[in-house]
Amino acid sequence: MAARRIGQYVPDWIKIATKVPNEARPDMNSLRMQYESIKTSLDAVAAKPEPIDWDFYSKNISKPGLVEAFRKAYEAITVPYPVDVHTNQIDKAEKEMEEHAVKTIKLANLEIAKYEVEVDDYLELHPEIRKQAEEEIARNDWSH
């Protein structure tokens, strides 16, 4: 099931790379290589195994009852599929993180607005600094 889910998503590595800082590019490339390696391994495994041709073995194995015994033993084996117990926890944590992010963004925007007002007030009191800043911006001088 995981192989099918992974196979449906194709990451846009170029788009992701544009959002990753230069310092983190080696880590991103390492992640990309790991992803490709895992995806290649999963693609090599069939989603369902090929059915066993019991008639072929019955015809080619001379010992009576051996193939039938193997067939019964094979069909008696059941492999339980693991129960998903983490998705609900992950979804809950994701919602909590989203709510926290929204609150943090609102608080950050309030702080930014407060500091913008303080900067404007300060620059009104010190017009020489405002003039110097405007000149540096016009020259694209970001050295300070």
Side-chain angles (χ1 to χ4, degrees), residues 1 4 44-54 74 77 79:
M1 187 169 182
R4 285 184 230 133
V45 177
K48 288 188 176 183
E50 292 184 28
I52 298 173
D53 185 4
W54 296 108
Y74 178 79
I77 296 173
V79 179

Side-chain angles (χ1 to χ4, degrees), residues 5-45:
R5 282 181 43 198
I6 291 173
Q8 291 175 352
Y9 174 72
V10 178
D12 185 354
W13 293 108
I14 296 172
K15 185 176 179 182
I16 294 170
T18 61
K19 296 180 181 183
V20 173
N22 289 336
E23 306 84 47
R25 292 272 167 95
D27 294 331
M28 189 206 72
N29 289 333
S30 173
L31 175 67
R32 181 179 183 177
M33 289 175 23
Q34 288 176 359
Y35 173 85
E36 295 298 332
S37 173
I38 291 169
K39 182 145 177 25
T40 302
S41 298
L42 286 174
D43 289 343
V45 177

Side-chain angles (χ1 to χ4, degrees), residues 6-115:
I6 291 173
Q8 291 175 352
Y9 174 72
V10 178
D12 185 354
W13 293 108
I14 296 172
K15 185 176 179 182
I16 294 170
T18 61
K19 296 180 181 183
V20 173
N22 289 336
E23 306 84 47
R25 292 272 167 95
D27 294 331
M28 189 206 72
N29 289 333
S30 173
L31 175 67
R32 181 179 183 177
M33 289 175 23
Q34 288 176 359
Y35 173 85
E36 295 298 332
S37 173
I38 291 169
K39 182 145 177 25
T40 302
S41 298
L42 286 174
D43 289 343
V45 177
K48 288 188 176 183
E50 292 184 28
I52 298 173
D53 185 4
W54 296 108
D55 293 331
F56 170 79
Y57 291 107
S58 295
K59 291 175 187 174
N60 293 312
I61 296 177
S62 60
K63 187 171 181 179
L66 181 66
V67 174
E68 197 55 40
F70 270 101
R71 183 178 189 165
K72 285 181 183 178
Y74 178 79
E75 291 173 352
I77 296 173
T78 57
V79 179
Y81 195 79
V83 178
D84 181 9
V85 295
H86 298 291
T87 298
N88 291 338
Q89 295 170 346
I90 292 170
D91 290 342
K92 183 180 176 184
E94 181 181 14
K95 286 179 184 177
E96 290 173 1
M97 286 184 219
E98 286 176 2
E99 291 171 2
H100 180 70
V102 168
K103 289 177 186 175
T104 303
I105 290 169
K106 286 180 182 178
L107 289 173
N109 287 335
L110 289 174
E111 287 291 315
I112 289 169
K114 180 178 110 180
Y115 289 125

